[in-house]
Structure formats: structure tokens, C-alpha cells
Amino acid sequence: MIISMRPHATREEIDHVCERIREFGYKVHSIEGEERVVIGVVGIGDVTACLESLEATPGVERAVRISAPYKFVSKEFKKERTQMRVNGLEIGGEEFVVMAGPCSVESERQIMETAESVRKAGARILRGGAFKPRTSPYDFQGLELEGLKLLRKAKEATGLAIITEVMSDRDAEMVAEYADIMQVGARNMQNFALLKSLGKCGRPVLLKRGMSSTIKELLMSAEYLVAHGNSNVLLCERGIRTFETATRNTCDIAAVPVLNELTHLPVIVDPSHATGKRSLVPAVARAAVAIGADGLIVEAHPDPEKAISDGAQSLTLEQFSKLMQQLRPYIELWKESRQAETAGAVV
Ligand code: PEP
Ligand code: MN
């Protein structure tokens, strides 16, 4: 059950509602937003009696029963898509957002050249890892703070927003100083200490699906972020592990409409990690637009052959620019369908 208090409900009203909830034998999990307080009701008790009583309690705007285990991120709680503003760009709304850049920030020259080129091609957000989760401890671990500083330089030069990975709760504050969107990698999707700390980081979070995680587990991790105070969460399908070896991961493209049914959060597709092969990236990117994702995150590099990480799946800058041209008619159709949805023609 979730109780939305009216905007600017008084402290007495909020405390009274919490007291009533406890009297029914439940636990209270409240989120204090800037405008309103939302109270999550958890535990076992008489739902119907509690709902009826709370609906009539002063200060309460809405009390809803939610059957899904993930509460705040569920469609049952909120039907309208969650939209968030990042550097003047509305994500989750009527604009299809493309994030692009190298797997890792490697040098000033590499990130500046990439940023200029992907911006010209139409990307709005620059990706680049400064903290890299690598399978081998002997592989390049990222430029860390130096990498973050280079991303800032690229932002200043191009106006692109920055998305970069945060691997540890200890680095969250530092990364948040440089990033417009905090990326949680597949390997950290269930790092609950990290998720809790990002609840308070003040930046939107792109949560990548763990490589062996179900959609429900992805949503439960998103619930951690929201329950700890951050409702600006983007979900990312980046392929999962299956028996198939023809691709690096198996792109679960159907996860996009499944998520669109279950949650109000925007969904981003990563065709690079989902396939592991540059030749397959454009087809999966087109599929992502056609199936109703909110955006893409694509790896692109000035010289993929020499990339320190993920060269095989990185597009050249020319290939990225071609991809953006190829996507144009798909994005036009996407926009029409979003506008119709907003106008209420499609539900
Ligand atoms: C990345 O984006 O470079 C990355 C490491 O992705 P993932 O966490 O999906 O493997
Ligand atoms: Mn990568």
C-alpha cells in the first residue's frame, strides 16, 4: 500500500497518518520529497480496513493498494511515465535520447574528439567510464578522477551532459560532482549499499540490468533507489547471459515492452554490450526505437581497434554518425506515437 500525502501536508497530519498505519500493525517507510511526502506501508495487516481509514484521514490525497513486490516503481502506483530533466533535456518524454561515447575515457584527445563528433551526429549525452569494472584485476581499471575531469572538459566544450559509472558508495559523492547521470553497471545492480547511497546523490541513476538478473530483480533494485529518496531512475537492458555464444550477451528486447507494462520508469537499451559486435549494433538499435524504448546508450570510439576496452563492440565515429541518420525515420515514428500517447489517443 502507498499513501500519497497532499502537497504541503502538515507535519502533524503526516505523523498522525504514520501513527494510524502502525496501529494497523504495519511498518512505515516514508519518502520526503520537495513537494510532498509519500508513505510506503509494509507488512501484514488488514489492508481493506487500513485503506478505508486512511483515505478519510486529513492530509491524505490518495491511498492505493499495490500487489507488486516493487511498490514505488510500479505502474499500479503511478500510471504516467516518469520524466526527468538532464541538462535541459527531457528524458522519458517526447524526445528519444541517445547517449554515446567510448567504453572508457582513455585520454583527453580521445574523449574530446568523440564528444565533438557524437554531438554533431545528434547524441545529447556523452558516455565514458572513469571507473571500470573489469573481469581481470590486471586489466585497465579506468583513469578515475582524471577521467572525470576529462569528461567535465568535454562537457564544457560541447554542452553534452555526462553519464559515467559509479562502482562504489565511497565514490558516489565525487562522481556526482562530475556526472549528470550516475551509471550503475550490470555487475553492481544488486550492490545494495551502493544503491542506498545513490538514493541521496541528487542525480538521476541509470541502472543496468545484471547479466543474470530477472526483470523483477531489476525492478526491486530500482525500488531501492526510489525508497531511499531518488525517483529519477532509468532502467537499462544491456543483454543477459544465456547458452547462446554467437553474441556476447543475449539482448532481451522484449524486456522493453515488459518494463513498459510494469513500471513508469524510462527504459534505455544498450545495443553495444547486448551484442558485443559492432556489426550487430545498428539492427538492435533500430529495434530498440521501434519497440518503444526511451533511448539508447551506444559505445563509439575514434579508433576502436586501439580501444583499451570493448573495441569489438564500439562503432567508429563515422559508423555512429551513419547510425544516427539511419535511426531518423524510426525516431520520427517514435515521436508520433509518443505525442499521440500524450494526447490520450493511445493508452
Ligand atoms: C559499460 O557500460 O561499459 C559497462 C561496463 O556496462 P555493463 O555494466 O552493462 O557491463
Ligand atoms: Mn563497455
Side-chain angles (χ1 to χ4, degrees):
M1 206 178 338
I2 292 204
I3 317 299
S4 295
M5 299 300 292
R6 286 187 203 291
H8 312 298
T10 65
R11 181 45 53 192
E12 288 71 34
E13 286 171 335
I14 296 163
D15 290 345
H16 178 63
V17 168
C18 293
E19 223 172 89
R20 294 288 295 136
I21 294 169
R22 290 194 191 98
E23 279 167 18
F24 276 95
Y26 289 108
K27 279 194 182 140
V28 165
H29 191 111
S30 66
I31 299 183
E32 312 238 342
E34 267 172 29
E35 246 200 16
R36 73 173 78 227
V37 172
V38 179
I39 304 167
V41 181
V42 282
I44 300 164
D46 186 344
V47 183
T48 314
C50 184
L51 264 181
E52 274 173 15
S53 157
L54 289 174
E55 268 166 356
T57 307
V60 171
E61 185 173 71
R62 204 163 63 103
V64 274
R65 182 181 196 154
I66 295 176
S67 52
Y70 36 86
K71 308 286 178 200
F72 294 116
V73 305
S74 75
K75 264 267 169 77
E76 287 172 274
F77 173 56
K78 180 172 167 248
K79 301 230 165 357
E80 315 76 50
R81 290 178 187 278
T82 287
Q83 301 183 0
M84 58 199 83
R85 263 201 118 63
V86 175
N87 208 29
L89 172 69
E90 187 99 272
I91 306 182
E94 291 180 9
E95 208 164 332
F96 187 85
V97 47
V98 180
M99 317 179 191
C103 179
S104 307
V105 180
E106 298 169 1
S107 67
E108 177 164 351
R109 195 166 160 198
Q110 172 237 27
I111 199 68
M112 295 304 259
E113 188 182 343
T114 308
E116 290 290 356
S117 175
V118 300
R119 185 194 58 79
K120 271 198 207 117
R124 301 291 301 272
I125 300 176
L126 178 68
R127 66 147 288 153
F131 291 89
K132 293 305 301 176
R134 304 305 301 279
T135 303
S136 165
Y138 309 118
D139 284 343
F140 177 62
Q141 304 286 307
L143 294 180
E144 304 189 342
L145 181 58
E146 184 53 32
L148 295 176
K149 288 184 178 162
L150 292 177
L151 285 167
R152 174 171 288 170
K153 242 188 164 173
K155 177 179 177 171
E156 282 166 2
T158 59
L160 290 171
I162 300 297
I163 177 167
T164 194
E165 178 159 353
V166 54
M167 281 173 55
S168 155
D169 49 323
R170 280 165 313 181
D171 300 328
E173 226 175 280
M174 175 175 58
V175 176
E177 268 184 50
Y178 295 86
D180 296 287
I181 304 176
M182 310 280 274
Q183 175 176 326
V184 173
R187 290 155 191 80
N188 265 321
M189 188 201 85
Q190 287 188 316
N191 178 341
F192 300 116
L194 176 61
L195 298 177
K196 285 180 193 173
S197 78
L198 295 180
K200 300 271 173 292
C201 72
R203 301 271 184 221
V205 173
L206 178 120
L207 180 64
K208 296 189 103 178
R209 180 179 180 181
M211 55 185 90
S212 301
S213 298
T214 62
I215 288 172
K216 183 174 161 188
E217 286 163 341
L218 172 64
L219 290 169
M220 292 307 293
S221 287
E223 185 80 7
Y224 261 89
L225 291 163
V226 183
H228 284 87
N230 193 344
S231 47
N232 291 327
V233 179
L234 301 148
L235 303 171
C236 179
E237 168 57 40
R238 47 76 75 203
I240 48 175
R241 274 224 172 137
T242 68
F243 54 84
E244 183 54 71
T245 54
T247 47
R248 180 180 180 186
N249 291 291
T250 297
C251 180
D252 182 7
I253 198 75
V256 178
V258 170
L259 287 167
N260 279 334
E261 272 184 15
L262 298 177
T263 180
H264 48 84
L265 298 174
V267 182
I268 306 296
V269 171
D270 174 346
S272 309
H273 293 84
T275 60
K277 275 189 194 166
R278 118 175 26 100
S279 65
L280 302 174
V281 168
V284 173
R286 292 195 299 272
V289 186
I291 208 161
D294 293 272
L296 287 167
I297 181 161
V298 181
E299 285 185 344
H301 192 285
D303 190 357
E305 302 269 292
K306 298 211 180 86
I308 300 181
S309 58
D310 287 350
Q313 67 193 33
S314 299
L315 300 179
T316 64
L317 300 178
E318 298 72 50
Q319 284 168 338
F320 176 74
S321 165
K322 264 200 194 131
L323 168 64
M324 290 300 280
Q325 283 168 26
Q326 237 186 51
L327 289 179
R328 236 177 245 160
Y330 290 80
I331 293 176
E332 280 311 307
L333 279 175
W334 181 97
K335 270 193 189 151
E336 275 176 33
S337 121
R338 272 299 161 97
Q339 281 160 1
E341 184 187 294
T342 315
V346 180
V347 180

